[in-house]
């Protein structure tokens, strides 16, 4: 890793991957935004303060092993030997599936790829999944069903700026991707969100449904479009299939019925359809608000059906997209850290895919395990009779971010061996038996794939502090101690990428024509990019969809209730999400002084009437209780809230964890947890007095 003075790279946080230039000054590293298309000179507060992550006071600098209950610093050899000995023993006693791996959508493409290979070959386990299951999986499943391929935005972000109307279903980019808002200045916005968010404030039309009812709303919008003769019958006939069966379901969702279920007035439903249908250019986008439900896949399908009926996808100036979340939310789901996938966005159950990848890896296809458990199911099985008794975590903090968090914490505690690689302490490293200090963004090379499927170069500015090593070196170190040949686990990112190119060749997410050389020369390469001369594919579907017949598919969907239904004891609906100044489980951003000042503690947004009924005033400490457990948070009175709904951000630790409330309800297809609906009651926090 060279020590250089200045470098062009990208922000370490979200999927927008704003372009930045880092410079080493005498006082530390400074950041400034570049004119990269997604951010065009803009950054959010997290991006501006990112350099302070590099030298946070409690940065992990030494490997640590737990001895007599305490984590103590040890050498890398001791740490890696401890891990290898433990894994060997567990594997000998209980077989390879007794070892689990939990990855992350923040990992570079190279790390995600090598982690998947490491799990399947070095460990021989099927038990690998990643936090993207909590993030992207519903949109991915619906996108694959409709279009035959799943790429967050099948068009560049800059296309949005030319639209007349953009519908945002359950996304709050004004807080979650602030620089994106510059592309949404000229279009009129329709925002579907139970809360009047900063994004909704900028909308021409804000629909405010009860959490968990978007599917009914999407069916209702399709109903109006068809009945009012606003659907694009020519496009439906030429470019799609399955309209009739989808329409059969939408037929019974007349506007008054939709209003009863969602709370969205008929007039607003009609206005939304009118705006979309009369626009010359329109886009439908979904975010986690529509997706993180036990019916997340069907809900996204409902919105895609609407977009298809209006003739938007695959047209210049129109389309459907999902706003991916984590820095590498897109690439993280393509290279094989998902339970059911191999690199190139191939399915692990597909014989041809297994043969291709096995050949690149130099093993017989029979050696590759089959599909494993999905993220929540994996966490839920830890330490049980047939679940893993060891877990390796790379890039996630499930003690805070997993649903039903108290239960997940218990499962983690039941493990024989928990290994966590991170660059800062987290609520999950606190439970670990071995903690491995790794490099972070400005200390390493690699590639990331942003929300528009564009592959970007992450570049290193400086050497890491202390004894931190890259995740790639960690995987190499464990694999070789388990008896694997070292050359199978290259530690140079460029070498891993060269192999990833070959492994992805011919797959849906084909990176074979992308190289560090082309990226460093400034080429804008969106996958698929099947050969070195190929210009990449910024816009998918213009000539046809990825199904064999070139047509998109309507998917018949029907509304259903959420896993939790509010009733007497738990009369309110709690939903969860994000604030601008904190990122995810907060492991990084709670360590940045400016960010922590802006958003220091857990809070709950409540309508003043709802608060008054519960005997709560602004600033009071409230206890929010669901059938799973309770969270303590400071009351914020928000007059624009629905009276039946409260909102909590999930960034905070301890008894402020919003995930103490969330349930284990999963989408049957994507296995996405229902982060957005929990039945709760609200009351003043009472001191629990010991008897
Ligand atoms: N500041 C910040 N930015 C981030 C992140 C972060 O943690 N902090 N995380 C990144 C990641 S990984 C992701 S996935 C993205 C997520 O980006 P978003 O999807 O924008 O984030 P959320 O806040 O989870 O959800 C968006 C909105 O959904 C609404 N919502 C809740 N329930 C429902 C519902 O039932 N229906 C509808 N229609 N809306 C509902 C919430 O009120 C919220 O305003 O953000 C990325 N950017
Ligand atoms: N209630 C509720 N819960 C949610 C959500 C919600 O909306 N509501 N959203 C869900 C979503 S969309 C997401 S994406 C998840 C995210 O939740 P988590 O998976 O917990 O994500 P992070 O907090 O980003 O955790 C990443 C950890 O990995 C470390 N890390 C970052 N980069 C690297 C790396 O390159 N290598 C290694 N080894 N470590 C690294 C960070 O320091 C941090 O400790 O939360 C989910 N949980
Ligand atoms: S929007 Fe996302 S990528 Fe851009 S500066 Fe903020 S956190 Fe970083
Ligand atoms: Mo996410």
């Amino acid at each position: 890793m060279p020590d250089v003075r200045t470098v062009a790279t990208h922000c370490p946080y979200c999927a927008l991957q704003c372009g930045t230039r880092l410079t080493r000054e005498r006082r530390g590293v400074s950041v400034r935004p570049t004119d990269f298309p997604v951010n065009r000179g803009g950054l959010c507060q997290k991006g501006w303060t990112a350099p302070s992550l590099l030298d946070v006071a409690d940065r992990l600098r030494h490997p640590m092993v737990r001895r007599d209950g305490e984590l103590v610093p040890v050498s890398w050899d001791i740490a890696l030997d401890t891990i290898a000995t433990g894994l060997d023993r567990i594997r000998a006693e209980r077989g390879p599936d007794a070892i689990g791996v939990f990855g992350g959508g923040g990992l570079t493409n190279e790390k995600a790829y090598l982690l998947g290979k490491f799990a399947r070959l070095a460990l021989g386990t099927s038990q690998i999944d990643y936090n993207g299951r909590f993030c992207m999986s519903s949109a991915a499943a619906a996108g694959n069903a409709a279009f035959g391929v799943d790429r967050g935005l099948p068009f560049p972000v800059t296309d949005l700026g030319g639209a007349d109307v953009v519908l945002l279903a359950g996304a709050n980019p004004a807080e979650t991707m602030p620089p994106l808002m510059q592309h949404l200045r000229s279009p009129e916005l329709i925002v579907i969100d139970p809360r009047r968010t900063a994004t909704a404030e900028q909308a021409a039309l804000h629909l405010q449904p009860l959490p968990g009812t978007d599917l009914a709303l999407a069916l209702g919008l399709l109903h109006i479009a068809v009945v009012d003769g606003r659907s694009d019958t020519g496009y439906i006939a030429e470019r799609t299939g399955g309209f009739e069966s989808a329409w059969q379901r939408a037929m019974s969702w007349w506007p008054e019925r939709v209003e009863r279920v969602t709370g969205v007035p008929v007039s607003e439903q009609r206005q939304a359809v009118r705006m979309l249908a009369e626009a010359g250019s329109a886009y439908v986008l979904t975010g986690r608000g529509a997706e993180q439900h036990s019916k997340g896949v069907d809900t996204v399908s409902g919105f895609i059906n609407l977009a298809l009926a209006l003739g938007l996808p695959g047209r210049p100036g129109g389309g459907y997209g999902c706003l991916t979340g984590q820095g590498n939310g897109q690439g993280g789901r393509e290279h094989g850290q998902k339970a059911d996938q191999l690199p190139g966005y191939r399915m692990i159950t597909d014989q041809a895919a297994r043969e291709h990848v096995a050949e690149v890896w130099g093993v017989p296809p029979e050696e590759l395990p089959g599909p494993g458990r999905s993220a929540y199911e994996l966490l839920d099985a830890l330490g049980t009779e047939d679940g893993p008794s060891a877990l390796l975590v790379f890039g996630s903090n499930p003690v805070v971010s997993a649903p039903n968090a108290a239960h997940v914490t218990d499962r983690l505690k039941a493990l024989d061996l928990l290994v966590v690689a991170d660059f800062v302490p987290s609520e999950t490293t606190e439970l670990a038996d071995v903690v491995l200090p790794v490099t972070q963004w400005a200390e390493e090379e690699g590639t990331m794939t942003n929300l528009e499927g564009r592959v970007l170069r992450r570049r290193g500015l400086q050497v890491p502090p202390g004894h931190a090593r890259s995740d790639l070196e960690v995987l190499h170190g464990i694999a070789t101690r388990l008896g694997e040949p070292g050359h199978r686990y290259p530690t140079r990112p460029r070498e891993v990428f060269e192999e990833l190119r070959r492994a992805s060749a011919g797959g849906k997410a084909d990176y074979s024509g992308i190289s560090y050389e082309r990226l460093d020369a400034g080429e804008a390469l969106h996958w698929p990019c099947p050969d070195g001369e190929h210009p990449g594919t910024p816009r998918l579907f213009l000539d046809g969809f990825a199904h064999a017949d070139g047509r998109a598919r309507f998917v018949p969907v029907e509304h259903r209730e959420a896993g939790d239904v509010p009733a007497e004891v738990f009369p309110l609906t709690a939903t969860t999400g994000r604030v601008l100044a904190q990122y995810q489980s907060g492991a990084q951003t709670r360590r940045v002084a400016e960010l922590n000042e802006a958003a220091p503690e857990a809070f709950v947004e409540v309508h003043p009437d709802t608060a008054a009924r519960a005997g709560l005033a602004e600033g009071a400490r409230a206890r929010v209780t669901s059938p799973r457990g309770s969270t303590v948070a400071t009351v914020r009175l928000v007059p624009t809230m629905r009276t039946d709904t409260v909102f909590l951000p999930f960034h905070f630790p301890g008894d402020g964890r919003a995930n103490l409330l969330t349930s284990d309800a999963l989408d049957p297809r994507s296995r996405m947890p229902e982060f957005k609906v929990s039945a709760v009651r609200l009351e003043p926090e009472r001191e629990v007095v010991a008897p």
Side-chain angles (χ1 to χ4, degrees), residues 420-497:
V420 182
D422 208 315
F423 41 81
V424 286
S426 75
E427 290 66 23
T428 307
T429 64
E430 277 170 28
L431 302 183
D433 300 294
V434 184
V435 176
L436 302 173
V438 292
T439 56
Q440 58 173 312
W441 119 101
E443 301 154 357
E444 58 187 29
E445 301 282 316
T447 60
M448 307 278 276
T449 305
N450 78 351
L451 77 170
E452 40 177 29
R454 178 169 172 179
V455 183
L456 311 169
R457 278 280 277 114
R458 165 180 282 195
R459 295 192 182 86
L461 176 75
Q462 59 186 23
V463 294
H467 297 271
R469 288 187 184 175
S470 78
D471 292 292
L472 300 179
E473 290 170 298
V474 170
L475 295 175
H476 178 94
I478 302 175
T480 49
R481 279 171 178 76
L482 293 173
E484 282 282 291
H487 66 82
R488 271 194 188 159
Y489 304 91
T491 54
R492 288 179 58 237
R494 185 185 290 258
E495 241 178 275
V496 178
F497 191 80

Side-chain angles (χ1 to χ4, degrees), residues 223-300:
H223 180 104
I224 295 172
V226 173
V227 168
D228 290 0
R230 292 182 181 275
S231 62
D232 188 335
T233 48
Y235 171 99
I236 293 173
E238 274 163 42
R239 300 205 55 186
T240 72
F243 170 75
E244 273 308 321
S245 58
W247 168 238
Q248 287 299 319
R249 308 279 173 93
M251 207 144 50
S252 61
W253 285 95
W254 56 90
E256 292 74 14
R257 183 179 174 207
V258 172
E259 176 173 333
R260 272 200 305 281
V261 173
T262 66
V264 176
V266 171
S267 60
E268 292 180 5
Q269 299 173 40
R270 291 195 183 285
Q271 194 188 339
V273 175
R274 200 180 321 122
M275 285 171 67
L276 284 168
E278 288 174 1
S281 160
Y283 291 86
V284 172
L285 304 179
T286 58
R288 300 312 80 75
E291 299 164 9
Q292 289 171 325
H293 295 276
S294 57
K295 54 178 172 296
V297 179
D298 284 353
T299 303
V300 175

Side-chain angles (χ1 to χ4, degrees), residues 111 131 396-397 401 421-422 471 576 578 584-585 659 676:
K111 295 178 185 184
N131 68 6
S396 183
N397 184 12
S401 58
D422 208 315
D471 292 292
T576 62
R578 296 161 165 80
Q584 314 274 62
S585 71
N659 278 317
K676 297 299 197 237

Side-chain angles (χ1 to χ4, degrees), residues 308-360:
L308 289 171
L310 295 169
L312 304 178
R315 282 239 174 108
Y320 161 79
C322 120
L323 295 168
T324 64
Q326 300 180 82
N328 200 24
Q330 183 65 48
R333 69 204 213 228
E334 298 165 353
H335 309 301
Q337 62 174 326
K338 218 173 163 181
D340 49 359
Q341 279 181 17
L342 289 173
Y345 216 131
R346 292 180 156 92
M347 298 315 290
I348 202 165
T349 45
D350 169 4
Q351 191 50 33
R354 295 171 65 85
E355 280 165 19
H356 172 84
V357 173
E359 201 195 322
V360 174

Side-chain angles (χ1 to χ4, degrees), residues 351-376:
Q351 191 50 33
R354 295 171 65 85
E355 280 165 19
H356 172 84
V357 173
E359 201 195 322
V360 174
W361 288 355
V363 297
E366 315 78 76
E367 252 182 52
L368 303 183
R373 292 181 173 92
S374 76
Y376 180 79

Side-chain angles (χ1 to χ4, degrees), residues 74-252:
V74 294
S75 70
W76 272 101
D77 274 336
I78 292 179
L80 295 172
D81 287 346
T82 308
I83 296 169
T85 311
L87 295 178
D88 265 336
R89 177 181 50 79
I90 288 168
R91 195 157 57 166
E93 283 168 11
R94 303 191 52 230
D97 277 357
I99 306 172
V101 177
F102 201 86
L107 302 179
T108 59
N109 290 320
E110 291 79 359
K111 295 178 185 184
Y113 171 82
L114 207 67
L115 190 63
K117 180 179 180 184
F118 166 85
R120 269 71 175 235
L121 293 194
L123 303 176
T125 184
S126 67
Q127 300 297 301
I128 173 171
D129 209 42
Y130 80 126
N131 68 6
R133 185 72 66 179
F134 298 163
C135 180
M136 305 317 325
S137 58
S138 289
N144 276 318
F147 307 123
V149 70
D150 148 48
R151 199 182 86 189
L153 300 183
F155 46 81
V157 160
T158 44
D159 282 8
L160 294 171
D164 300 313
V165 173
V166 174
L167 179 144
L168 290 162
N172 181 19
E175 294 205 63
T176 53
M177 297 187 180
L180 181 77
M181 294 308 284
Q182 63 186 304
H183 303 284
L184 299 178
R185 252 180 232 141
S186 132
E188 285 198 301
L189 300 184
I190 304 169
V191 170
I192 304 177
D193 197 308
R195 298 187 301 142
R196 190 155 184 90
T197 57
T199 311
E201 286 291 345
Q202 300 184 36
L205 179 64
H206 175 204
L207 312 183
Q208 213 170 343
L210 176 70
T213 63
D214 296 72
L215 180 47
L217 184 56
L219 284 159
L221 298 180
L222 178 63
H223 180 104
I224 295 172
V226 173
V227 168
D228 290 0
R230 292 182 181 275
S231 62
D232 188 335
T233 48
Y235 171 99
I236 293 173
E238 274 163 42
R239 300 205 55 186
T240 72
F243 170 75
E244 273 308 321
S245 58
W247 168 238
Q248 287 299 319
R249 308 279 173 93
M251 207 144 50
S252 61

